[in-house]
Structures are given as C-alpha cells and as structure tokens.
C-alpha cells in the first residue's frame, strides 16, 4: 500500500498489525511505515510523533538514530528548510556516525541549505554527500547542483 502511495490503506494495515502483534520484533519497522503513511497523507505532525515515539521506546540504536534523522526529512518534505537543517544538525550531533549511513538525510540537508541561500554551506554539504555516497541514485543531481552552486558563487568556468 505504501508503494502504491495509498497512505490510508497502509496506515490501517500497519495499525492492525500492531494490534495483533504488539510485541513484534518488527515493531520499529512498522512504526516507520506508519510515519511514512502519515507523511504521504500530509499529516506531518503525526509522523513527527511516531518518530519521537521510536526515539523514546526503541531498544535498537539504529532505529533511534534513523528516527532522529527522519524528523528532518518530514520538515524538508513540507518545505520548512530552516527547521529541516536544524533538525538534521541536532540528529548529527546526537548520532554522528549515522550521517554516513543515511544518504537521503545528507542530500536533503544540502538541498535545505541551498533553498535558504546558504550556497557555500550547501556546496560543502553536497561534496560531503558525494564522498559518503558516490554511487547513490541522487549523485547525478548532486553533481548538477554543485555545478549550479559554483556558478552562483562565481567560480571561474
């Protein structure tokens, strides 16, 4: 249902699963799915609540870190670039090693800086993104943005 972009159906399925299996070892993954469904339904605050719940309740440090970074993704998806940047910075501070494992967070952070007019910060962030994720599917977009940033910053052709 999530892949079909049917957020309502996905939400119902995930909630039924949690009712049936409240102690499931897949609980964190199901909660991430619920948060994704909320984002798809433009219920950003509900998604944030789910990520906060994961950070408070999960015993899995990977899930806790991912939830912290995904909070930034929610702000980015609704176009609040200043909050997205602040949220990513907070997640990086709390979970520095995870910055190199979540490519979307690094890419979105770079874009958030670009859309705020923080061109130098955005440039450095995109370069870091490419260093960390050289074969990621958004690498071409990052290279194009780097070229655009160099032009904006007045680099010699």
């Amino acid at each position: 249902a999530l892949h079909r972009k049917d957020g309502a159906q996905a939400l119902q399925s995930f909630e039924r699963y949690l009712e049936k299996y409240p102690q499931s070892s897949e609980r964190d993954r199901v909660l991430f799915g619920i948060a994704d469904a909320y984002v798809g339904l433009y219920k950003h605050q509900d998604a944030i609540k789910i990520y906060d719940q994961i950070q408070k309740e999960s015993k899995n440090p990977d899930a806790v870190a991912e939830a912290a970074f995904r909070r930034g993704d929610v702000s980015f998806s609704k176009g609040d670039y200043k909050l997205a940047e602040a949220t990513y910075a907070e997640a990086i501070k709390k979970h520095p090693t995870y910055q190199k494992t979540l490519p979307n967070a690094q890419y979105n952070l770079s874009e958030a800086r670009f859309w705020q007019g923080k061109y130098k910060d955005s440039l450095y962030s995109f370069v870091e993104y490419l260093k960390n994720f050289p074969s990621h599917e958004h690498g071409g977009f990052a290279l194009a943005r780097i070229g655009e940033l160099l032009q904006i910053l007045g680099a010699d052709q």
Side-chain angles (χ1 to χ4, degrees), residues 58-141:
S58 179
K59 307 263 188 275
N60 180 345
D62 292 340
V64 171
E66 184 177 345
F69 280 92
R70 286 212 188 187
R71 289 181 90 251
D73 293 347
V74 173
S75 297
F76 183 84
S77 74
K78 66 181 188 173
D80 190 341
Y81 303 122
K82 186 175 182 176
L83 181 58
E85 182 181 20
T87 304
Y88 288 129
E90 182 181 327
I92 291 167
K93 187 176 178 180
K94 286 183 181 177
H95 312 282
T97 58
Y98 288 89
Q99 182 180 8
K100 295 184 178 185
T101 63
L102 300 166
N104 65 311
Q106 181 69 45
Y107 185 88
N108 289 349
L109 173 60
S110 304
E111 278 290 302
R113 289 174 172 161
F114 175 83
W115 289 110
Q116 291 179 83
K118 297 179 177 181
Y119 299 129
K120 277 189 178 180
D121 291 341
S122 179
L123 175 64
Y124 296 136
S125 191
F126 272 117
V127 169
E128 192 65 26
Y129 164 80
L130 287 171
K131 284 181 190 176
N132 293 331
F133 309 101
S135 60
H136 189 262
E137 63 185 295
H138 289 108
F141 296 117

